[in-house]
Amino acid sequence: MDLRPPCAGEVLVKIGAAGICRSDWQVCTGATTHPLPAALGHEGAGTVEAIGPGVTHVAPGDAVILSWAPACGTCFYCERDRPGLCEVFDRTVWRGVMSDGTPRLFLDGAPVYQYCALGCFAERIVVAEASCVPLPQGVPMPVAALIGCCVTTGIGAVMNTACVPAQSSVVIFGAGGVGLSMVMGAHLAGASPIIAVDKLPARMQLALRLGATHFLPAVRGIASDIRALAQGRGADFAFDATGIPAVQETCLAAVRPGGTVVLSGLAPVGSATNLPGADITRKEKTVKGSYYGSALPRRDFIRYAGWYREGRLNLDPLLTKSYALSEVRKAYQDLNAGSIVRGVLSPDAD
């Protein structure tokens, strides 16, 4: 494909690592609608090779973590520290184009759209300056890539969206990259018990290693088991990392009266979740959405990278396998089979 050079406010990045995330697969299945053809990949890190006019906070040679929410910084939501809801970002990202309304990738002269304003499944990409967060030294590219999405989404849901207090009881549905990041976030917050739920029993040891106090297999009627582990009342907080409507409904059943449900997994576009209003009202339950962990990427990426370097955040176990760029199909076969937690593409391996 033809990659056009960076325009004003844009950066050319050589990809060092790109995470294998289910959100990209949802574009392939149609669960997420997006203009096609598209370059997928929204979880990445790399090295700046060139900058366009007006770029000031990164320079060629800088290592960067890539954010898929290049917020404008001045709209209603950005001024209220909600960059994931940026009005400018929202108008352009789902059209697969840059801020000027055009993509930077072309195939035989026809546009190729960039998923989440990135398109990390590539050797090089052109992105907005706002997508680039300088990477602290001592953090490997594969770890940096995970900080760019799953780690920030999971830890942020616990610490930013829910603001979980110490000693709170927490249940987390889904023990993939995002769910296990929620487990680590809950552990850092001092929550107890921390109950991880997944359909794959093989995830148990890793969940317990990363901070869960209990692991339950995802079976029918699990809400009663969760209530039993949480003083018979139900959890203070229930987090969904799956995006499956039936699981989201179980979250509501698993929290105590006055408890909070946080929905972080992406449900298929057009799907519906039955969250009974009578239960929410009479038991004063709260349901919150969490998009990108309600994060401020320039703050949170650096914070999580620092915790990794200090040994407070053990991200290495999330990295199950590395793949060459040409092995992307195999990587998604492994993800869908449940044989990896997080795979990473390494373009230099080809």
Side-chain angles (χ1 to χ4, degrees):
M1 288 186 288
D2 174 31
L3 179 63
R4 303 287 170 85
C7 297
E10 296 175 357
V11 178
L12 173 67
V13 177
K14 182 180 186 296
I15 297 297
I20 299 297
C21 180
R22 198 170 299 279
S23 298
D24 300 289
W25 184 250
Q26 288 183 321
V27 179
C28 299
T29 64
T32 294
T33 56
H34 192 275
L36 301 174
L40 302 182
H42 67 282
E43 183 178 85
T47 304
V48 174
E49 286 196 336
I51 59 175
V55 172
T56 58
H57 82 272
V58 294
D62 288 351
V64 293
I65 308 174
L66 295 170
S67 165
W68 53 257
C72 72
T74 59
C75 73
F76 175 89
Y77 293 104
C78 286
E79 288 182 345
R80 287 157 178 79
D81 288 339
R82 304 295 295 276
L85 304 179
C86 171
E87 293 169 314
V88 176
F89 160 75
D90 193 59
R91 285 197 299 267
T92 59
V93 69
W94 294 115
R95 292 192 288 128
V97 295
M98 305 296 284
S99 61
D100 65 357
T102 64
R104 296 293 171 266
L105 279 171
F106 293 84
L107 180 62
D108 297 329
V112 175
Y113 301 99
Q114 294 172 245
Y115 182 55
C116 283
L118 296 179
C120 295
F121 296 164
E123 294 168 324
R124 288 170 176 80
I125 58 174
V126 169
V127 300
E129 179 183 18
S131 286
C132 298
V133 177
L135 173 63
Q137 291 184 349
V139 181
M141 284 285 176
V143 171
L146 268 57
I147 291 173
C149 184
C150 80
V151 170
T152 295
T153 298
I155 295 179
V158 174
M159 292 191 159
N160 297 332
T161 308
C163 300
V164 171
Q167 302 305 312
S168 298
S169 55
V170 170
V171 59
I172 294 156
F173 288 83
V178 172
L180 290 172
S181 296
M182 290 174 173
V183 168
M184 288 186 280
H187 180 69
L188 286 168
S192 183
I194 302 170
I195 307 162
V197 178
D198 199 274
K199 64 182 181 181
L200 298 174
R203 298 278 169 88
M204 178 176 68
Q205 292 302 322
L206 183 54
L208 296 175
R209 176 182 173 188
L210 295 178
T213 59
H214 302 79
F215 180 91
L216 297 176
V219 296
R220 188 181 299 275
I222 194 173
S224 60
D225 295 330
I226 294 167
R227 286 194 292 270
L229 289 173
Q231 299 181 328
R233 303 186 189 93
D236 297 319
F237 296 88
F239 294 86
D240 170 59
T242 72
I244 301 171
V247 175
Q248 295 173 336
E249 293 163 10
T250 303
C251 284
L252 189 68
V255 294
R256 63 167 174 79
T260 299
V261 173
V262 179
L263 305 181
S264 189
L266 290 179
V269 173
S271 64
T273 302
N274 180 23
L275 299 177
D279 191 36
I280 293 171
T281 301
R282 289 178 172 145
K283 295 183 180 178
E284 293 193 354
K285 296 182 179 182
T286 298
V287 179
K288 304 186 74 171
S290 180
Y291 194 45
Y292 213 178
S294 305
L296 292 170
R298 292 188 186 280
R299 177 197 68 192
D300 292 340
F301 286 6
I302 302 302
R303 175 182 294 171
Y304 303 151
W307 289 349
Y308 171 82
R309 291 192 305 175
E310 294 165 7
R312 297 178 59 196
L313 193 55
N314 186 13
L315 301 180
D316 294 321
L318 298 181
L319 296 163
T320 310
K321 188 175 180 180
S322 180
Y323 301 84
L325 184 59
S326 58
E327 296 177 305
V328 62
R329 291 181 183 274
K330 176 64 167 63
Y332 273 98
Q333 289 172 358
D334 291 348
L335 180 69
N336 290 326
S339 60
I340 61 173
V341 173
R342 212 56 162 197
V344 175
L345 296 182
S346 299
D348 286 339
D350 276 295

